[in-house]
Amino acid sequence: MSELECRVLSGDDGLMTLRPEIYLYPYFRISEPVSCGAWNLNLRETKRLRRNTNPKSNGIARVIERHLDPKGKVLHSAVVATRTGPGWDDVEARRTEVDAFHSAVSFAVLNANADDRYRIPWDSGLFEPATSETAIISVTPEDAVHGDASLLRRGPINSHLVGGATGHLKLPAPEGLISIPILTLDARLLEATFRNAMAATTPEPSDANKIEREIYAAIHWYSRAWENSPLHTMPDVIVQLKTSLEALSGRDKTKDSVKVLGELYAAAVAAPGGEALLWQNEGTRFERTDRNGKTYDVTTFEHWFWNFAETRNKIVHDTLDPEMEYVMEGSPFAGNIFRVADRVCRELIRINLSRLERDNLLMSESALQIQAVFKEIGGIEQQSEDH
């Protein structure tokens, strides 16, 4: 346990109870509230919070105002996460669920960069992409808002406590954060990703949750690829996206990974909503030559994936900057390697979640609403015919 976590259990009656915490996402805004399991995400403004006589509302306002935007100005609104479910048994149970929820929110935030057809408007001058920094969660013990604050800044190599009197402790925005975008989160995707994360992080890994763990790992590496820190380079991004796809396939060899992922892709195209996927079942084949000079007849996806894997290998083994264009006339995967790999990762994660959830996550909310209307009309017409 960390120095801060050692102090989260207390109780006047001798029983150990968890000290409550405040969870917020300072660096993005949502267009509408969204729920996920026992969690709710809502946009809160400090002005409105201070009108409330509830001490907790005023405490949340103070926590929000401790955060600075990319220009160094105090924030006056944030997305606040509240939980209405039964209490946790211990610190570990709380940490597991908060981490699972944060993983789901992070993927939903990054997914919000794309439209209903999975396309990101890279060439638009108005596009402000959400990055992993956008989805950083801020966790504050509730009692830290009443007096001098003491917060743990945690890292994998070093951690230390920072403190200051109420109103004086200011937390600068992450260095890689460029803007605070307004996002619409996909509620069905958020819920499915959260359930998957909870199943993946059960204490004892087993064959029963193997697919969940593969998806959870894929989302972790996908989120890492979207870090915008100056220390993070495009070669890092390519390696992490390749790792994400490798995790998703459950295979560590390219020849096995490409087969598994290709079969997932091909099957998904036939499902409603699959027509928007980058994969196309048009029957086009390409010739691929391996390192030994042997040639193979492969699909467009297989040709792209092998090129992507070889690009990753050049980075890892030869420390080379990658050629960022995959030039192959007639291939839907032609183009900037990062942008295509990003879309392939997003689509395949959704496909695997759909397969696991038995819910078609490939269809947009608007498409589902239209489908529901047609079903209702069909039902009414059937009733009319029966009578």
Side-chain angles (χ1 to χ4, degrees):
M1 258 186 210
S2 69
E3 185 176 350
L4 184 62
E5 289 166 338
C6 285
R7 301 199 301 271
V8 300
L9 299 172
S10 62
D12 295 335
D13 54 3
L15 298 175
M16 303 300 276
T17 58
L18 287 170
R19 286 166 55 188
E21 296 177 329
I22 295 171
Y23 308 96
L24 60 89
Y25 290 91
Y27 305 120
F28 69 88
R29 307 290 175 260
I30 50 177
S31 57
E32 56 188 23
V34 62
S35 298
C36 172
W39 294 84
N40 297 295
L41 288 172
N42 289 275
L43 181 62
R44 297 291 186 229
E45 298 178 350
T46 55
K47 186 185 297 185
R48 292 178 178 271
L49 287 167
R50 291 191 186 283
R51 290 176 189 164
N52 195 323
T53 56
N54 184 345
K56 183 176 179 179
S57 295
N58 281 274
I60 293 173
R62 284 193 288 271
V63 173
I64 292 173
E65 290 173 345
R66 286 187 180 140
H67 294 80
L68 304 178
D69 69 12
K71 297 180 179 179
K73 296 182 179 179
V74 170
L75 294 180
H76 296 291
S77 63
V79 174
V80 178
T82 54
R83 184 176 179 276
T84 57
W88 292 288
D89 293 332
D90 51 41
V91 173
E92 191 59 36
R94 177 166 70 182
R95 180 195 293 166
T96 297
E97 183 171 334
V98 171
D99 286 349
F101 178 67
H102 179 52
S103 172
V105 171
S106 296
F107 185 61
V109 164
L110 296 174
N111 180 77
N113 284 321
D115 61 19
D116 287 346
R117 297 186 66 82
Y118 316 121
R119 298 169 301 194
I120 294 179
W122 292 106
D123 298 325
S124 170
L126 301 177
F127 177 53
E128 295 182 339
T131 65
S132 294
E133 289 80 5
T134 307
I136 284 176
I137 187 172
S138 173
V139 181
T140 307
E142 234 179 67
D143 56 9
V145 304
H146 302 303
D148 290 351
S150 181
L151 305 178
L152 182 71
R153 301 305 296 266
R154 181 187 291 111
I157 298 172
N158 193 19
S159 302
H160 69 280
L161 289 169
V162 294
T166 301
H168 294 281
L169 177 65
K170 301 300 181 187
L171 303 175
E175 190 175 7
L177 187 74
I178 303 302
S179 62
I180 298 180
I182 300 174
L183 307 172
T184 300
L185 302 187
D186 185 328
R188 291 189 308 129
L189 180 67
L190 179 64
E191 179 71 34
T193 309
F194 175 61
R195 283 200 298 265
N196 182 83
M198 288 297 293
T201 52
T202 54
E204 294 297 330
S206 66
D207 290 341
N209 68 349
K210 181 176 182 292
I211 295 176
E212 287 91 341
R213 287 185 284 113
E214 289 169 355
I215 296 172
Y216 185 66
I219 288 173
H220 167 79
W221 289 110
Y222 177 79
S223 299
R224 287 296 310 274
W226 270 90
E227 291 176 1
N228 196 44
S229 163
L231 297 177
H232 199 229
T233 67
M234 188 51 69
D236 297 330
V237 171
I238 297 302
V239 171
Q240 287 157 349
L241 286 176
K242 174 60 169 62
T243 306
S244 177
L245 288 172
E246 188 176 291
L248 198 63
S249 73
R251 307 291 191 276
D252 57 3
K253 292 184 178 180
T254 299
K255 65 182 180 67
D256 298 325
S257 292
V258 70
K259 182 178 179 181
V260 171
L261 298 177
E263 289 174 352
L264 281 173
Y265 238 151
V269 170
E275 68 281 355
L277 296 171
L278 196 54
W279 174 287
Q280 297 175 10
N281 276 340
E282 79 294 338
T284 302
R285 310 284 293 189
F286 291 135
E287 186 178 273
R288 173 183 172 267
T289 304
D290 67 14
R291 290 179 298 177
N292 299 318
K294 189 174 180 179
T295 59
Y296 300 88
D297 182 53
V298 296
T299 66
T300 54
F301 173 72
E302 289 171 333
H303 195 277
W304 173 83
F305 192 86
W306 275 103
N307 176 269
F308 183 52
E310 288 161 1
T311 301
R312 176 263 181 199
N313 290 341
K314 288 177 183 177
I315 293 168
V316 172
H317 301 297
D318 302 327
T319 63
L320 297 177
D321 286 336
E323 169 57 50
M324 289 307 296
E325 288 295 320
Y326 170 69
V327 181
M328 184 57 62
E329 186 176 351
S331 172
F333 299 94
N336 180 276
I337 290 178
F338 160 64
R339 297 180 183 183
V340 173
D342 162 74
R343 181 168 171 177
V344 168
C345 275
R346 275 187 290 110
E347 291 183 348
L348 283 170
I349 288 171
R350 289 185 80 111
I351 289 168
N352 240 11
L353 282 169
S354 293
R355 185 176 64 135
L356 196 62
E357 291 281 318
R358 293 180 174 82
D359 179 19
N360 190 343
L361 297 171
L362 300 179
M363 293 185 71
S364 65
E365 286 291 337
S366 56
L368 283 171
Q369 291 171 5
I370 293 171
Q371 185 185 68
V373 170
F374 277 115
K375 282 185 177 179
E376 185 176 347
I377 294 173
I380 293 173
E381 290 177 347
Q382 185 63 46
Q383 289 178 14
S384 300
E385 291 174 4
D386 292 342
H387 291 288

